[in-house]
Amino acid sequence: DLKSEMNKTRKLPLKKDTRASDSSQEDAVDQWARRRKQFKDSKKCSSTGGSSINSTITEGSINSEDARSVDLGLYSENEDRGFYTENFHSASWVFRGDDVSPDNSPRCLSKRPRPVAIRERTVKIAKGTGNYPWGFRIQFSKPILVTEVDTNSAAEEAGLQVGDILIAVNGTDVTSMPHSEAANLARKGPDILTMIVGSDISRYPNTPKPTCRGYLHKRTQSAILKGWRKRWFVLKHNGYLHYYKHKKDEGKCRPLEVTKLEGAEIGVDTSLGKPFVFKCIPQAGNRIFYFCATSNQEMKRWLEAMDKAVHPIHQNHVWVDVTLHNTTLPPLAIKNPECLGLLHQLDRSKDVWIQHYCILKDGCLYFYATLRSTPAQGGLYLQGYIVSEQSLGSKRSVIELKPPSEEFKTFYLCAENVNENKRWITALKASINKWLPLHQAIQDFMNRPLEETRM
């Protein structure tokens, strides 16, 4: 059963109660990473190869105590119903459909040649103080677009997100209104700014920046070596707390540990007799994390951000809604697929190829057990992936899907023959090309004479 296999390999809880001390664990991870890189370089393999999310040691030549002493599973927190969505949630993406001409890039959402699925929601923002009391920026006209949301602002707290389209301000429709009129409407209104905003599959679900990041001192858990170690912490919008040895490691190395904060207990701690100390007790496991900030203000900043992660507001992005809906359909019921047919996916942990019936649609590859299967067993969000033809083992023609960063997963697929592989490669490249990074789209907007207002 592929679904159960995917669940086993993709959703791996961190083994908190069996870990070694922080110092030995982090050193072991560093040593293991160096040895694994040396091995892979010698074999001329991909640095992230394989199709199993569980990156266990299978090469045999790596057999040290360091390697055996730590949990080497790659923890993937951004999966839903068997979907591998890591890269979609690590960057912002704009869906431009079949319109891939630079001259017709998404300068105005209303000019798109194809209909867009809009999901409306109401956002209420309490007016603060200062020159920009609501904490966001709007640009352009028809439609008016939210292009910036200040960190820790009233707008961010209310759920306003980069890429939102303004539909109504304080009860007045602004979809055909000039930018300046909409801004004046907001300024002349009450202290509670009420907006109806729309989001479509062109918009990323969360703002790209983490909710909180910075250096904290973390108390070690070892019974032998007690003390505080300075570490770089990143709290992401999905409610997971990552930490690294140094700031420069973020985005380049795997985090030393990832902790889910939803349902955790957090608060100030005075039991250690040290100022600016706060603790976190995750819901899973019996471990207690102690952190020390450099000031009371810094401690409050972290506690406020963590509290939001402890009590999250779950809201699917409409693109996720669309793909999850498609998984409930039979393969041939997905409208206007870009490619379909049999593909084999490599599971390198077992060195076997698993056959699926696959449907490619708008940058998402759906996996079914057979042509008659319902629902889909899972899928892959392809945003940012690079498609190429490679040789692998005895197979002279293999489709490689390589992510833009080594921290994500590389996938290997193979069709029935070389010609089928080429057909899939062409379709995959065209499907991925339908998505544009949001920062690039916004830069596209900014190259025009701008209408903008900080609110």
Side-chain angles (χ1 to χ4, degrees):
D1 186 318
L2 180 61
K3 189 170 185 178
S4 62
E5 188 66 25
M6 291 168 76
N7 289 336
K8 289 178 186 176
T9 58
R10 293 186 177 185
K11 300 182 179 179
L12 302 173
L14 294 172
K15 300 176 182 176
K16 303 181 190 304
D17 53 345
T18 59
R19 288 181 180 269
S21 68
D22 285 356
S23 58
S24 62
Q25 176 187 339
E26 293 162 8
D27 292 341
V29 170
D30 290 343
Q31 291 183 36
W32 174 81
R34 287 195 298 271
R35 294 178 187 181
R36 184 174 175 84
K37 186 176 187 305
Q38 290 171 0
F39 174 83
K40 285 186 175 293
D41 289 344
S42 69
K43 295 293 183 182
K44 297 182 180 180
C45 291
S46 165
S47 60
T48 54
S51 62
S52 169
I53 304 301
N54 183 11
S55 184
T56 52
I57 299 178
T58 57
E59 285 85 355
S61 64
I62 305 173
N63 192 28
S64 68
E65 289 184 5
D66 293 333
R68 293 197 299 269
S69 66
V70 295
D71 177 14
L72 298 173
L74 171 58
Y75 187 80
S76 178
E77 68 273 20
N78 289 324
E79 297 182 72
D80 198 354
R81 299 190 190 179
F83 274 86
Y84 186 78
T85 65
E86 284 277 13
N87 199 43
F88 179 72
H89 288 275
S90 69
S92 319
W93 298 95
V94 169
F95 185 76
R96 56 182 177 177
D98 299 319
D99 177 21
V100 295
S101 168
D103 297 329
N104 295 313
S105 56
R107 298 181 182 278
C108 182
L109 301 179
S110 61
K111 293 180 180 178
R112 287 184 182 160
R114 65 200 302 270
V116 263
I118 296 288
R119 183 183 62 186
E120 296 181 8
R121 69 186 194 281
T122 300
V123 176
K124 294 186 177 183
I125 308 175
K127 188 174 184 179
T129 57
N131 294 329
Y132 312 115
W134 289 293
F136 67 97
R137 182 196 299 268
I138 56 174
Q139 292 182 245
F140 322 115
S141 291
K142 303 176 185 180
I144 299 167
L145 195 69
V146 176
T147 57
E148 186 177 336
V149 178
D150 295 344
T151 304
N152 299 325
S153 65
E156 183 183 63
E157 187 174 346
L160 191 67
Q161 297 170 359
V162 171
D164 280 337
I165 304 161
L166 262 62
I167 296 173
V169 174
N170 293 330
T172 303
D173 187 291
V174 296
T175 53
S176 58
M177 185 179 291
H179 175 99
S180 56
E181 287 186 28
N184 288 333
L185 198 64
R187 291 193 180 108
K188 293 177 181 178
D191 287 347
I192 301 294
L193 175 62
T194 303
M195 300 187 297
I196 296 177
V197 298
S199 59
D200 62 13
I201 62 173
S202 70
R203 191 187 54 74
Y204 170 69
N206 297 313
T207 46
K209 298 177 183 178
T211 58
C212 205
R213 60 211 295 258
Y215 278 109
L216 290 171
H217 284 81
K218 173 181 164 294
R219 189 168 184 256
T220 60
Q221 302 292 317
S222 170
I224 302 172
L225 299 172
K226 291 188 177 180
W228 297 84
R229 295 202 171 186
K230 188 178 181 180
R231 294 290 179 253
W232 179 257
F233 284 85
V234 179
L235 175 58
K236 298 195 174 182
H237 274 87
N238 57 18
Y240 285 81
L241 183 66
H242 300 234
Y243 80 86
Y244 305 82
K245 187 175 278 189
H246 306 290
K247 178 180 179 180
K248 64 181 181 181
D249 296 337
E250 182 188 343
K252 296 180 180 179
C253 306
R254 293 182 186 176
L256 298 174
E257 191 162 350
V258 179
T259 304
K260 183 179 180 180
L261 295 189
E262 183 176 355
E265 179 185 337
I266 60 168
V268 178
D269 183 86
T270 57
S271 63
L272 301 177
K274 188 177 176 69
F276 318 133
V277 172
F278 56 103
K279 64 182 178 182
C280 171
I281 308 174
Q283 196 172 40
N286 54 5
R287 186 173 176 183
I288 303 177
F289 293 89
Y290 292 94
F291 307 105
C292 184
T294 55
S295 67
N296 189 56
Q297 183 179 358
E298 183 73 358
M299 180 180 71
K300 287 179 67 177
R301 182 173 75 93
W302 276 99
L303 285 173
E304 288 174 4
M306 284 184 168
D307 186 64
K308 292 179 183 178
V310 170
H311 307 98
I313 300 173
H314 294 288
Q315 185 181 43
N316 269 349
H317 179 257
V318 70
W319 168 240
V320 177
D321 294 341
V322 169
T323 53
L324 292 182
H325 170 71
N326 285 344
T327 64
T328 66
L329 304 174
L332 300 183
I334 296 179
K335 296 180 180 179
N336 304 317
E338 294 150 23
C339 201
L340 50 83
L342 293 175
L343 282 176
H344 294 79
Q345 179 190 359
L346 176 62
D347 182 346
R348 292 190 71 179
S349 66
K350 299 179 181 179
D351 196 25
V352 296
W353 292 85
I354 301 171
Q355 180 177 280
H356 309 284
Y357 191 84
C358 295
I359 300 287
L360 177 65
K361 170 70 174 173
D362 290 341
C364 184
L365 186 63
Y366 300 87
F367 295 100
Y368 293 84
T370 68
L371 175 61
R372 301 182 184 277
S373 298
T374 304
Q377 295 174 317
L380 170 63
Y381 285 12
L382 295 166
Q383 289 86 352
Y385 271 80
I386 299 172
V387 186
S388 63
E389 186 177 23
Q390 304 287 341
S391 60
L392 190 66
S394 60
K395 293 185 180 292
R396 290 183 298 173
S397 178
V398 172
I399 303 168
E400 181 187 67
L401 298 174
K402 193 175 183 64
S405 171
E406 291 187 0
E407 63 181 306
F408 304 133
K409 200 69 191 168
T410 299
F411 292 86
Y412 294 96
L413 304 169
C414 187
E416 297 298 309
N417 53 57
V418 174
N419 288 335
E420 277 291 286
N421 270 355
K422 293 185 183 301
R423 181 175 74 91
W424 273 102
I425 288 173
T426 301
L428 286 164
K429 287 181 178 179
S431 192
I432 292 170
N433 204 31
K434 290 184 175 185
W435 292 86
L436 186 73
L438 179 60
H439 66 83
Q440 187 177 333
I442 290 179
Q443 186 61 45
D444 217 21
F445 279 117
M446 291 182 174
N447 289 335
R448 305 164 56 209
L450 295 182
E451 296 176 281
E452 66 174 5
T453 303
R454 284 195 66 89
M455 304 295 292

